[in-house]
Amino acid sequence: MTIQTLKITSLRNLGAVELQPVKGINLLFGENGSGKSSVLEAIHLMGLARSFRSHRIKPVIQHDHSQCTVFAKVDNRSGLYSVGVSRGTEAELRVHINGSTPSGLHELAELVPLQLITPSTFSLLDGAPKLRRQFLDWGVFHVEQGFHIAWKRMQRALKQRNTLLRRGNIDRSQLSVWDAEFISASHLVDNYRADYIARFIPVWESVLAKILDVPDISLSYYRGWDRSADFSEVLAASVDRDIAQGFTQYGPQRADLRVKIGRANAADYLSRGQQKLVVSALKIAQGAFFTEESKRPCIYLIDDLPSELDKTHRRLVCELLRDLDFQVFITCVERESLADFVGAGPAKLFHVEHGNVMEYDEIQTLANCQV
Ligand SMILES: Nc1ncnc2c1ncn2[C@@H]1O[C@H](COP(=O)(O)OP(=O)(O)O)[C@@H](O)[C@H]1O
Ligand SMILES: [Mg+2]
């Protein structure tokens, strides 16, 4: 999907901003604090109804305003949609898709498939497993139709089971009812994830090979319990410890992805720049796989692409994104480094200054400057 028009109101220092991005690469440049990341934050808000920089919505809303709003016209290949998302200081949320309120946020996520790469992107490699599970589930959700329902079933059974575990006097027959549901939903979730990752790995390998040469790098999936064990036996064997701890220790809620170099953890072995490239390859491959499956392009938000990347790799990443036909929003501070990003193909330049965003007609000049 492609954003054709984007209107942002009262979000951080962006009072009223309107831009017409291109399909292809949109570069936002400007001084620190000018509002570049806030534009990406607005697009993120439109796709996921939340910021990527703050858990709370209040700091995102412009001072002395009661709500922030993002409105966009998007082309989803199946047609044109108008999407509006607004959040109030008390966290109120209003979402409209073509004038109607969707049944849930998954409709928004489905319509606006976003991938985000920021300077703290490394955390996908060295941070908590939850981040990798979210990454994995983004892909499964967008590619496997039944996943969302199976995941919700699994979460509900897990919640009920954990509530029972925390109760002092456990009714084992009640526990076995939730166990049966948890086991059945867990298998479904695991099957969806395992199928997805098996098909995803070759895409990731081919994307990575275009931007980084690291021998013996591998990606594997841990399902949340021993690969060779039967899940009902695992649950039965761990029930006493589960009761003692008050939560379920094994299951899809503990699934993870592991990136290794030989037998070592990639995060312990690679430089920051290499880690950024590995994570970028994961995210770009996920968008490429999604587009291949759904025939819809993905939107990439890349905050401060130059950080940690040298000139050659900046350009390689950009060329890859451009060749995959995504709509990409890239921020950077220095005008000089823009020339590293602008190759052939559609690109638009925006200058951000004190919360104003202006189209900048300098792409051609920059492209001509390239060596
Ligand atoms: N709630 C808010 N209301 C008004 N201005 C804000 C708010 N939150 C942050 N700002 C200001 O908005 C600007 C946004 O910065 P940001 O988008 O991070 O800039 P950049 O990415 O260009 O460095 C900063 O100058 C910041 O001080
Ligand atoms: Mg910024």
Side-chain angles (χ1 to χ4, degrees):
M1 89 126 205
T2 312
I3 299 174
Q4 294 187 336
T5 304
L6 180 69
K7 288 184 190 169
I8 308 166
T9 316
S10 312
L11 190 145
R12 301 234 188 232
N13 69 338
L14 309 173
V17 159
E18 178 169 345
L19 52 154
Q20 266 85 38
V22 282
K23 180 163 182 239
I25 295 182
N26 296 277
L27 290 162
L28 298 131
F29 78 97
E31 289 183 359
N32 287 323
S34 56
K36 305 177 297 293
S37 301
S38 303
V39 174
L40 305 195
E41 202 172 20
I43 301 171
H44 196 272
L45 186 80
M46 189 183 68
L48 293 153
R50 60 181 165 80
S51 160
F52 62 88
R53 295 201 285 184
S54 164
H55 292 301
R56 291 182 308 123
I57 199 65
K58 206 164 174 192
V60 181
I61 299 167
Q62 193 165 37
H63 299 318
D64 302 325
H65 286 72
S66 56
Q67 63 170 34
C68 61
T69 306
V70 185
F71 172 81
K73 281 217 156 56
V74 302
D75 180 353
N76 190 30
R77 293 250 167 116
S78 61
L80 276 180
Y81 290 78
S82 59
V83 183
V85 176
S86 75
R87 300 281 323 246
T89 41
E90 301 301 323
E92 317 88 293
L93 168 67
R94 266 192 298 276
V95 180
H96 288 283
I97 299 176
N98 282 348
S100 315
T101 307
S103 64
L105 289 182
H106 63 280
E107 279 191 37
L108 198 58
E110 236 171 83
L111 187 64
V112 190
L114 289 181
Q115 287 282 350
L116 177 71
I117 299 175
T118 72
S120 55
T121 263
F122 312 103
S123 53
L124 192 62
L125 286 188
D126 63 10
K130 185 178 174 193
L131 297 171
R132 288 180 293 279
R133 269 197 305 280
Q134 279 171 350
F135 168 80
L136 168 65
D137 287 348
W138 185 99
V140 194
F141 168 78
H142 280 286
V143 169
E144 306 281 358
Q145 289 254 314
F147 178 69
H148 185 59
I149 289 172
W151 186 88
K152 272 180 36 187
R153 257 186 69 195
M154 183 278 286
Q155 285 293 336
R156 180 164 172 263
L158 175 67
K159 210 170 146 205
Q160 297 286 353
R161 188 176 194 270
N162 284 344
T163 307
L164 277 180
L165 291 173
R166 277 193 292 272
R167 241 181 237 164
N169 208 350
I170 291 191
D171 176 348
R172 296 265 174 158
S173 64
Q174 222 183 341
L175 191 65
S176 69
V177 171
W178 283 112
D179 275 2
E181 169 66 1
F182 183 51
I183 290 164
S184 143
S186 294
H187 279 129
L188 277 176
V189 167
D190 173 47
N191 286 340
Y192 279 124
R193 284 173 172 167
D195 278 358
Y196 175 81
I197 212 72
R199 293 194 292 148
F200 172 75
I201 285 173
V203 183
W204 173 68
E205 285 171 346
S206 81
V207 166
L208 186 66
K210 292 191 177 120
I211 52 176
L212 184 67
D213 180 20
V214 184
D216 218 9
I217 188 163
S218 66
L219 173 67
S220 61
Y221 163 63
Y222 167 67
R223 62 179 176 172
W225 68 94
D226 189 336
R227 194 158 24 128
S228 54
D230 178 272
F231 189 42
S232 50
E233 286 170 15
V234 170
L235 270 192
S238 68
V239 70
D240 290 333
R241 264 186 63 203
D242 284 359
I243 291 170
Q245 310 242 0
F247 65 89
T248 308
Q249 293 163 85
Y250 295 102
Q253 77 283 6
R254 304 299 284 269
D256 202 354
L257 290 177
R258 288 164 183 169
V259 183
K260 298 211 158 161
I261 312 280
R263 302 181 72 174
N265 216 338
D268 299 333
Y269 187 87
L270 299 174
S271 75
R272 295 298 260 180
Q274 287 175 316
Q275 288 181 44
K276 181 156 178 168
L277 290 167
V278 169
V279 173
S280 301
L282 283 167
K283 299 202 167 191
I284 294 170
Q286 209 171 47
F289 187 44
F290 163 78
T291 302
E292 203 179 293
E293 293 285 310
S294 68
K295 306 289 170 247
R296 293 192 296 138
C298 203
I299 295 180
Y300 277 77
L301 307 178
I302 309 187
D303 202 13
D304 199 5
L305 178 67
S307 82
E308 313 278 355
L309 296 187
D310 58 41
K311 207 174 159 137
T312 311
H313 286 99
R314 285 173 199 175
R315 193 172 288 186
L316 282 172
V317 169
C318 274
E319 281 171 4
L320 192 56
L321 289 164
R322 193 198 54 218
D323 293 347
L324 284 163
D325 217 19
F326 297 139
Q327 185 175 43
V328 188
F329 294 83
I330 296 174
T331 71
C332 62
V333 178
E334 282 156 15
R335 224 174 117 253
E336 294 71 46
S337 60
L338 293 174
D340 301 343
F341 308 135
V342 185
K348 214 170 191 181
L349 192 58
F350 296 92
H351 184 212
V352 186
E353 198 177 28
H354 306 305
N356 294 308
V357 183
M358 285 153 293
E359 263 180 46
Y360 208 75
D361 188 19
E362 211 191 354
I363 292 286
Q364 212 45 50
T365 326
L366 282 165
N368 293 340
C369 291
Q370 284 185 85
V371 277

